[in-house]
Amino acid sequence: MSQASTSDGVQETLSAAMDGEAMSDELHGALDAASRDDELRAKWERMHLASAVMRGALTTSGSPPASAPLGTKRGRRAAKPSRRPRLRLGPAVAAVVAVLAALTVVLVADLVQEEGSPNLVAATAPAPTASMPAAAESTDVQPLLQEVVELGPIDRRRMNAYMLQHARYNAAAGTAGIPLARVLGDPPTAELEEE
Amino acid sequence: MTEQIPQQGRCADTDGELVRRVQGGDGMAFDLLYRRHCHRIHALVARFVATKEDVEDVVQEAFIKAYRALPRFRGDSAFYTWLYRIAVNTAKNFNATRMRRPVPVELDPDGSDSPNIESLQDSADPESLLRRDELERVIAAALADLPEDLRVAVTLREFDGLTYGEIAAIMECPVGTVRSRIFRAREAIDEAIRPLIAADARNRRTVRFR
């Protein structure tokens, strides 16, 4: 390694360059020196490696290195659970969910009244209303609601049967949630087809 | 020919300077870019690709692609962001050609100074994990042994991501002192990890030539 490249000044500049803190005029000379000096380049690489380890970029457990002061920004960031990929449902899906929630209220109320069991209405009707997005109350939803209501007779029977089942389950279990995902995703079953 | 404007007193964009050098025909500048970013890119690719050998192949391919494309790099985005995208695309293409299911991740190269590469345990082999654990242990010990002023300076930089100016304000000293303290801290850490890196390099050579 040449005397010039091993000087503390050059190495200090390279250290500052790692952080984007080297001055333009000195950076040229330091990079020139590094270009000529294998050992200096190797050292620069090791410093970057150590920096990456300290910054948590190469940790294996997701926790900050043992030396990370608790409560530091980086420590807190590393301590956060890793982000999971999110399913990005668009507003259209949200609108459909809202419509189905609204539809659920109407259907369940009708069905339960037909069954002559007013207690079930009390058990099921408030829940979807509470979790219903505000958009469901908007008049924009009405045409969509109209489309959903105009289901074919088989679909309507399936929906009604399912909602009735669920209303009974809710009443028995003391829960009030409406599993909209199942409404959307359940394939027709033999039991429902028979009804 | 335009006259170069002296830029004394202004912090330089290290990657930008290296990119300009590569574009000007300085191949050694690319080696510096490689050494600067290879570890983070390696960790990034390891999130997508299963085996150590495949990771190394993908990293190499990504850097080759970057080198070839660098003449066309206009600097619209930061170099690392650009390199990050190349590496991710290379890894995805690799998985597609191998008919493997790529690991879904949220891409956020600008979200932080490191792109959320916090979890490598799914794809790293035990040997790599041991090496990284050992590296972390040695660095932690070296940090603990530092004089307080050096430790505080380097900790504020590496763990909290503060600028030299911010550190100077906290430590109530000139920016030049901060810079010197961070360098001396890094020198001490480098002294500590150098034997480990050297031993690791020897082991890798031994394995390769078996």
Side-chain angles (χ1 to χ4, degrees):
Chain A
M1 197 185 300
S2 70
Q3 187 63 36
S5 69
T6 53
S7 73
D8 276 359
V10 168
Q11 294 187 40
E12 191 178 301
T13 299
L14 287 173
S15 166
M18 287 172 60
D19 305 319
E21 299 267 6
M23 298 298 156
S24 297
D25 55 334
E26 61 180 1
L27 181 64
H28 296 289
L31 292 179
D32 284 342
S35 295
R36 291 190 302 267
D37 193 322
D38 290 344
E39 197 176 324
L40 194 54
R41 283 200 306 279
K43 184 171 185 172
W44 206 46
E45 183 183 340
R46 286 196 305 271
M47 285 184 170
H48 275 104
L49 173 62
S51 175
V53 170
M54 283 187 278
R55 292 175 188 199
L58 305 178
T59 56
T60 55
S61 61
S63 57
S67 53
L70 291 176
T72 61
K73 266 197 296 188
R74 209 171 282 280
R76 283 196 297 273
R77 190 189 310 160
K80 276 197 296 188
S82 61
R83 282 184 291 176
R84 297 188 180 283
R86 292 174 189 163
L87 186 60
R88 288 184 177 156
L89 302 173
V93 177
V96 170
V97 170
V99 167
L100 283 172
L103 177 62
T104 299
V105 176
V106 174
L107 287 175
V108 169
D110 286 351
L111 288 168
V112 171
Q113 278 171 2
E114 283 172 19
E115 291 282 308
S117 171
N119 288 341
L120 290 177
V121 177
T124 56
T129 309
S131 60
M132 196 187 309
E137 295 166 13
S138 157
T139 52
D140 296 344
V141 176
Q142 293 307 320
L144 277 172
L145 183 61
Q146 209 54 37
E147 283 177 27
V148 176
V149 171
E150 286 170 10
L151 295 168
I154 294 174
D155 290 332
R156 186 186 292 244
R157 254 201 334 270
R158 285 183 55 226
M159 173 73 89
N160 290 350
Y162 176 76
M163 295 316 302
L164 182 60
Q165 264 188 343
H166 193 71
R168 284 174 178 155
Y169 171 80
N170 277 343
T175 59
I178 300 296
L180 292 167
R182 289 193 62 195
V183 174
L184 288 168
D186 264 4
T189 62
E191 186 184 340
L192 291 174
E193 292 292 334
E194 283 168 14
E195 287 181 34
Chain B
M1 190 175 165
T2 56
E3 188 181 330
Q4 274 199 331
I5 301 167
Q7 297 181 321
Q8 192 162 5
R10 195 169 65 82
C11 285
D13 169 14
T14 307
D15 281 342
E17 173 61 26
L18 288 169
V19 165
R20 276 190 293 278
R21 284 176 176 236
V22 176
Q23 290 174 334
D26 179 359
M28 199 54 84
F30 191 78
D31 183 57
L32 288 171
L33 275 174
Y34 172 81
R35 288 169 186 268
R36 184 163 156 78
H37 296 295
C38 65
H39 301 292
R40 286 199 292 171
I41 292 297
H42 197 279
L44 169 68
V45 169
R47 295 168 68 193
F48 291 82
V49 178
T51 70
K52 186 173 63 176
E53 289 76 16
D54 289 346
V55 170
E56 286 175 3
D57 286 348
V58 170
V59 170
Q60 188 179 9
E61 193 182 337
F63 273 100
I64 289 171
K65 281 180 180 173
Y67 182 73
R68 287 180 178 155
L70 208 51
R72 298 189 300 279
F73 176 68
R74 293 175 302 177
D76 293 338
S77 60
F79 172 77
Y80 182 69
T81 305
W82 180 75
L83 180 63
Y84 181 99
R85 289 193 194 117
I86 290 176
V88 168
N89 288 335
T90 305
K92 284 181 171 176
N93 290 342
F94 178 86
N95 281 330
T97 54
R98 291 284 184 98
M99 299 298 284
R100 287 176 189 163
R101 192 173 160 201
V103 180
V105 291
E106 202 166 302
L107 301 182
D108 186 16
D110 298 318
S112 63
D113 52 358
S114 67
N116 193 26
I117 318 173
E118 74 271 24
S119 179
L120 304 178
Q121 69 271 32
D122 293 339
S123 55
D125 59 293
E127 191 190 346
S128 302
L129 293 178
L130 269 176
R131 276 203 303 270
R132 276 199 293 269
D133 284 348
E134 179 70 358
L135 194 58
E136 283 179 18
R137 192 189 60 75
V138 170
I139 289 172
L143 271 172
D145 286 344
L146 287 175
E148 188 181 348
D149 54 348
L150 304 193
R151 188 173 64 248
V152 170
V154 78
T155 298
L156 288 174
R157 172 63 208 157
E158 301 290 19
F159 291 99
D160 290 305
L162 300 188
T163 65
Y164 285 10
E166 290 167 333
I167 297 169
I170 290 171
M171 297 188 77
E172 297 179 332
C173 64
V175 170
T177 305
V178 169
R179 176 178 145 134
S180 169
R181 285 174 180 171
I182 289 174
F183 166 62
R184 280 156 53 207
R186 283 177 173 157
E187 280 237 287
I189 293 167
D190 182 56
E191 285 292 320
I193 67 169
R194 196 188 303 175
L196 191 66
I197 303 290
D200 186 51
R202 278 196 300 275
N203 288 342
R204 280 166 180 253
R205 276 198 293 274
T206 309
V207 170
R208 273 183 194 164
F209 290 125
R210 260 178 206 163

